[in-house]
Amino acid sequence: MTINTNHSSAVVPVDSRPMLWQNWMALRNGDRSLVEEILAPTVLAHLPVPGGSPEQVRGRQALVAWVSGRHAGCPDARLAVEVGPIIGPDLIAGRWKLTRAGDDPSTLCPHRIIVACSGVDILRVDGDRIVEYWSHDDSVKLDRCLTYSAA
């Protein structure tokens, strides 16, 4: 039995932003099961391009295609959160590190050198969905570990 010691009947809203970040990282690691739940249909992404201005990708399908393309070149690579999420009123940010999932040399991407890469994701949210995304990463190193694709 639980006793309410503050005698308040007020219901405190649950902050969904930490779970949104967790689901975002799952998507970045290839889990597309919650795409419609976490991404606004008109999401706008600002993606790093080695040596150039950020590329803009518009729409849920285009962003999911970009995420899928990143995994196509090296499916055993995983992002792990190093810092965050840092949560503001309409922004969520965190630093991640990309590494190879296992130590089995046979799982290495063909003709690729896997190195540790780091980056930062910044999400602008509206309600329970991501409406804008900025990514910054160690593009020079990351280009060696993953194939870039905006398919």
Side-chain angles (χ1 to χ4, degrees):
M1 179 164 128
T2 303
I3 299 172
N4 183 354
T5 58
N6 65 7
H7 305 288
S8 171
S9 61
V11 176
V12 178
V14 175
D15 187 351
S16 62
R17 294 171 299 172
M19 182 57 76
L20 184 58
W21 173 260
Q22 185 176 349
N23 290 338
W24 169 251
M25 293 311 300
L27 172 61
R28 292 275 282 147
N29 281 314
D31 179 357
R32 292 178 289 202
S33 65
L34 296 172
V35 166
E36 292 183 14
E37 189 175 318
I38 68 170
L39 295 179
T42 59
V43 64
L44 173 61
H46 309 274
L47 306 172
V49 176
S53 298
E55 173 185 358
Q56 289 190 347
V57 172
R58 297 179 184 275
R60 183 188 290 152
Q61 289 180 328
L63 182 54
V64 171
W66 177 79
V67 169
S68 297
R70 299 295 291 254
H71 289 281
C74 198
D76 66 337
R78 293 291 176 264
L79 299 178
V81 177
E82 290 187 314
V83 176
I86 301 165
I87 298 175
D90 65 345
L91 295 175
I92 305 170
R95 181 167 175 80
W96 47 261
K97 184 173 188 174
L98 181 140
T99 57
R100 189 180 48 146
D103 291 327
D104 180 0
S106 68
T107 65
L108 284 173
C109 301
H111 313 293
R112 300 252 184 237
I113 299 170
I114 301 299
V115 294
C117 307
S118 296
V120 173
D121 283 359
I122 302 169
L123 310 173
R124 187 170 65 84
V125 298
D126 184 8
D128 292 338
R129 288 195 177 160
I130 299 165
V131 294
E132 198 164 6
Y133 160 55
W134 293 266
S135 179
H136 172 75
D137 56 41
D138 299 337
S139 295
V140 173
K141 290 181 186 176
L142 192 60
D143 194 30
R144 292 182 188 156
C145 4
L146 295 178
T147 302
Y148 281 87
S149 173

